[in-house]
Structures are given as structure tokens and as C-alpha cells.
Amino acid sequence: QVQLVESGGGLVHPGGSLTLTCAAENLRLSYWSIGWFRQAPGKEREGVAYINRSDGGTGATMYSDSVKGRFTISRDNAKNTVYLQMNSLEVEDTAVYTCAADMAAFRRSSFSENFQAAMTRAFVAGHWGQGTQVTVSS
């Protein structure tokens, strides 16, 4: 059974940092593109970061404008894990963060016109984790 498990969430002050982890069971992540999404109470789910599959793909990364320059998505294929390093956290970053995996490899051009639409298409049939809570508060 394929399973994605997120960890690393917690409470952090504004300006602080957290690193989220997405670990996979029964899934070799290097063959999968991974996306990080978040959903705050009362808001729609928002895609924040994407990393193309490294095997059979480019490994390229893309970010939403809301997190560009602050968040970094990366993968460690030896550990079968994908990370989301979050710096300069803001109160508005408070949300449940979820990772998703799909074997499709979307090109950078797919994201340039409409990042959110591309993220939705990229993972519409993918595997999803349960999420981890990130709270940014003073």
C-alpha cells in the first residue's frame, strides 16, 4: 500500500524556520514528481512548491509567488524523502501542509502561466499524505 507521511510541523514565531518532511512507503520517490500544498481554515487548498521527478525527469523546482524566495523544496533519493524548507515564516503561512506524488513530469512552462492550475493538474490523480500542521504565531 502506497503511503506518504508528512512530519516536521509545529508552532513557530514569525520570522522563524521549519523543515517539513514527506516520506514514502512502497513508493520510490525518485520516479515521482512531488508537490507541497497547504490549506488554511476557511481557505482553498493552495499549491506552494513542486519538484519534478529526478529519474525520467528534470528535477526542476517551481514555487508559488507567495513562497518564492522563502521556501525550498528538495529531495534525498537515498532516504526516499522530499523536504520543504520554510524560512522567514509569516502568520499567513499557517496551514495544514500536505505532500502529493504523481508520476507525471510537468515542464516549467506549464507553471509559468498559472501555477495553481498546473499544480491541480499535476496531482489530480496522485497519492496524497494526511498533512502536518504549521502554526506561525507570536
Side-chain angles (χ1 to χ4, degrees):
Q1 180 180 356
V2 172
Q3 193 170 7
L4 297 177
V5 180
E6 302 92 341
S7 61
L11 173 64
V12 63
H13 294 307
S17 299
L18 278 176
T19 299
L20 305 184
T21 298
C22 176
E25 297 180 10
N26 299 314
L27 195 71
R28 186 170 176 181
L29 284 183
S30 61
Y31 287 96
W32 297 72
S33 297
I34 305 298
W36 279 99
F37 294 78
R38 67 185 182 185
Q39 188 165 19
K43 294 187 177 181
E44 293 187 357
R45 186 174 63 197
E46 174 191 15
V48 298
Y50 174 90
I51 186 165
N52 202 305
R53 55 188 288 178
S54 54
D55 286 323
T58 65
T61 58
M62 274 71 81
Y63 301 91
S64 67
D65 288 341
S66 61
V67 307
K68 197 175 297 181
R70 300 189 298 122
F71 290 12
T72 302
I73 188 170
S74 63
R75 63 167 78 237
D76 184 335
N77 291 332
K79 294 183 178 180
N80 207 33
T81 300
V82 171
Y83 303 99
L84 184 67
Q85 172 69 43
M86 306 186 295
N87 298 326
S88 302
L89 282 163
E90 304 167 354
V91 172
E92 293 72 23
D93 295 318
T94 296
V96 175
Y97 284 72
T98 305
C99 63
D102 194 280
M103 293 197 78
F106 276 52
R107 297 179 180 178
R108 186 178 297 277
S109 59
S110 299
F111 292 85
S112 59
E113 185 170 335
N114 189 319
F115 183 86
Q116 293 304 323
M119 287 290 282
T120 298
R121 289 196 305 271
F123 298 100
V124 63
H127 298 287
W128 291 77
Q130 294 299 308
T132 184
Q133 175 70 46
V134 172
T135 302
V136 185
S137 175
S138 55

